[in-house]
Amino acid sequence: MPRVPGTAIFLSGSSQDVPAALLHNLKHNKVLHEQNVILTVMTEEVPRLRDKGRVTSETLSDRFSRVTVQFGFMESPSVPKALRAAGFDLNDVSFFLSRRALQASAQSGLPLWQDYIVIPMARSASDVSDQFCIPEDQAVEVGARITI
């Protein structure tokens, strides 16, 4: 697989899953970055956390690592700020975000009226890049259309 310079950070909702953006990037672009980070952001059940220990990192291979960033529920989560404080260089980094577009389907098994409630709610949800203060010029959104 061809390698491209820089670091790719793939956001994942779970520390156990492979991010959809990573899978789509491999499928469509057929490249990997020199360094690849699977990043999970967790909100803890305390109002605030100290900066020390906020970011944990695990090396998976010479090109892959898993990073977890934790915030308290009262904090405004800034992923770049937390990563910089932990010693990460973000100059040559691209953040890959997954986007899912929901579509209604008569075959879903749900009553159609539920689709018309759920889909607008999903569309009005806050944007991940805004929620985690990810710079727009470093964010790449990879999407999939999902029929419900």
Side-chain angles (χ1 to χ4, degrees), residues 61-75:
S61 73
D62 61 332
R63 297 200 185 266
F64 275 89
S65 61
R66 181 180 305 278
V67 173
T68 302
V69 180
Q70 299 172 313
F71 295 99
F73 65 83
M74 290 291 293
E75 295 180 279

Side-chain angles (χ1 to χ4, degrees), residues 27-128:
K27 178 181 175 184
H28 297 288
N29 298 324
K30 297 172 180 48
V31 297
L32 276 175
H33 283 71
E34 289 173 332
Q35 294 299 316
N36 299 276
V37 176
I38 299 172
L39 175 70
T40 303
V41 178
M42 299 182 68
T43 303
E44 300 300 326
E45 294 184 16
V46 294
R48 302 193 185 285
L49 294 173
R50 289 189 216 152
D51 286 339
K52 185 177 181 180
R54 179 184 298 275
V55 179
T56 57
S57 181
E58 171 189 4
T59 301
L60 302 175
S61 73
D62 61 332
R63 297 200 185 266
F64 275 89
S65 61
R66 181 180 305 278
V67 173
T68 302
V69 180
Q70 299 172 313
F71 295 99
F73 65 83
M74 290 291 293
E75 295 180 279
S76 297
S78 174
V79 167
K81 181 179 175 184
L83 292 175
R84 276 191 211 94
F88 284 84
D89 179 14
L90 301 182
N91 289 329
D92 197 18
V93 166
S94 295
F95 291 89
F96 285 80
L97 314 170
S98 300
R99 164 116 23 218
R100 293 181 177 95
L102 302 179
Q103 277 185 288
S105 169
Q107 291 79 28
S108 72
L110 291 175
L112 198 56
W113 65 268
Q114 288 181 354
D115 290 340
Y116 290 111
I117 292 173
V118 171
I119 291 172
M121 285 175 41
R123 286 186 186 140
S124 67
S126 65
D127 190 82
V128 172

